[in-house]
Amino acid sequence: MASQHEQMVHMNRGQGKTSYARNSSLQNVEQNRMRLMIEETIADLCSTSSLFPRNMVVADLGCSSGPNALALVSVAVDAIHSQCLHFQQPQVEVCVLLNDLPDNDFNMVVTSLVAFQQSKKSVVTGIVPGSFYGRLFTSGSLHLVCSSNSLHWLSKAPEELKRNQIPAYDIDENVRVERRHVVIGAYARQFRKDFTHFLEMRAKELSSGGRMVVSLAGRRSEELASKFTHAWESVALVLSEMASKGVISKEKFDSFYIPIYGPSDEELREIIKLEGSFSIREMQVHEPSSGSDNMLITPSKIANLLRAGFEPIIVQHFGSSGEMMDEFVRTAERRWSKEGSLQQEMARNPRVTLAVSLKKVV
């Protein structure tokens, strides 16, 4: 997950029932859908070179922790080994590097990495803590960069909203509607700045012809409803209900900004084109529930998924304990307890996942 300077951004640690490790099944579905893109990218990297590569460096940015941390690099390593067999070449030495912010649960990641290294031949591994909005690797050292479900996290919430004391999500619906274009516009500008910076950094670190396969939460360009909603609308709705009932301070709620923005596929194309370091090989738009078991989409499941992803940043701001987060889950479940209410809310706030395969052109 991407960085922030002031807010602590990481998923819930450990393996308990509220941990990200136990509540990341929807993210895993998206990683599975990236498999073919990664396999095709590896095939391309191995076949376009005049000499079969002797070693390859693969990095996953925003790896988080739990069962998903090694999913993408595992696909890449298997694909590299498969290409070696296909071309009857000796096994390529593969270096796998995992990145996330320093607050990530790296203890859990290291345990997984040791087992991974033992099970895969010719693989060396490493961990690189830090923000992917800055430099992480030496120039021209990477062959493939992967990132799943991370790049919608911004480096920080928009300063202009904080400076002008404009709440990201006003409890008063009329004021909220009136200011929506200002709020969403500020978030869009922050995303453009951050994503451009991300592309610039990776262009320096990737070798000539290096590749990236990334996915992030977003929206469809033609989806009008989503133009006027936050990527974190569901979290805001639950917290605003808690603020209205006095469970959390309204003043604190008004100064709460989650650094997330879900761009449209059109926005993403435009930013990549303007930055100029990469060509788009393929872009896919995935519905959030397609390819996953629809039984996963229950009020309880979604409430716990939100808790696993947002609890650290919520607790840091509101200065509360796990008790407040238990109330967050109860409020969410009550909100969606009426038949079809969760589906209606999701329809009003349509989200998709954008997956894109890029090739370095400069």
Side-chain angles (χ1 to χ4, degrees), residues 171-172 237-250 253:
I171 288 178
D172 184 314
L237 284 163
V238 174
L239 289 172
S240 69
E241 205 167 302
M242 289 168 72
S244 299
K245 290 177 178 171
V247 178
I248 55 176
S249 148
K250 182 184 180 300
F253 177 73

Side-chain angles (χ1 to χ4, degrees), residues 210-330:
R211 301 290 293 269
M212 281 208 290
V213 178
V214 304
S215 77
L216 65 158
R219 57 188 174 80
R220 289 185 182 278
S221 296
E222 67 272 17
E223 201 85 70
L224 279 176
S226 65
K227 278 188 180 178
F228 305 104
T229 57
H230 282 291
W232 51 283
E233 192 94 355
S234 294
V235 177
L237 284 163
V238 174
L239 289 172
S240 69
E241 205 167 302
M242 289 168 72
S244 299
K245 290 177 178 171
V247 178
I248 55 176
S249 148
K250 182 184 180 300
E251 189 183 358
K252 283 255 186 187
F253 177 73
D254 284 345
S255 61
F256 183 55
Y257 304 88
I258 296 182
I260 278 185
Y261 179 73
S264 71
D265 48 332
E266 210 171 79
E267 273 176 285
L268 209 56
R269 279 184 191 279
E270 190 189 324
I271 295 166
I272 294 163
K273 194 175 173 183
L274 278 172
E275 194 278 327
S277 299
F278 295 89
S279 63
I280 299 172
R281 301 300 295 263
E282 186 182 3
M283 188 180 285
Q284 296 174 357
V285 182
H286 299 150
E287 295 299 331
S289 57
S290 64
S292 68
D293 183 354
N294 281 330
M295 292 301 287
L296 290 173
I297 314 298
T298 65
S300 173
K301 186 73 179 177
I302 297 298
N304 282 307
L305 285 171
L306 292 177
R307 178 175 187 167
F310 293 98
E311 178 164 359
I313 203 168
I314 290 171
V315 166
Q316 186 202 16
H317 181 79
F318 292 97
S320 297
S321 62
E323 203 176 296
M324 177 216 158
M325 291 310 300
D326 289 343
E327 184 55 37
F328 175 90
V329 170
R330 284 194 293 269

Side-chain angles (χ1 to χ4, degrees), residues 160-170 179 182-183 254-255 257:
E160 60 192 276
L161 297 182
K162 291 181 178 180
R163 195 170 51 247
N164 297 313
Q165 296 184 319
I166 297 171
Y169 197 88
D170 205 290
R179 283 181 174 165
V182 173
V183 173
D254 284 345
S255 61
Y257 304 88

Side-chain angles (χ1 to χ4, degrees), residues 34 37-38 41-42 45 56-62 72-73 76 97 99 132 136-137 141-148 151 198-199 201-207 210-215 278 356-358:
M34 293 171 74
M37 250 186 195
I38 292 171
T41 296
I42 293 295
L45 279 169
M56 292 182 83
V57 181
V58 177
D60 184 326
L61 308 189
L72 300 182
V73 293
L97 301 170
N99 152 265
F132 54 42
L136 292 165
F137 310 99
S141 62
L142 305 178
H143 295 90
L144 172 65
V145 167
C146 299
S147 180
S148 172
L151 280 159
F198 174 84
L199 294 171
M201 297 300 102
R202 302 300 80 80
K204 287 174 182 168
E205 296 165 350
L206 279 158
S207 60
R211 301 290 293 269
M212 281 208 290
V213 178
V214 304
S215 77
F278 295 89
V356 61
S357 175
L358 301 170

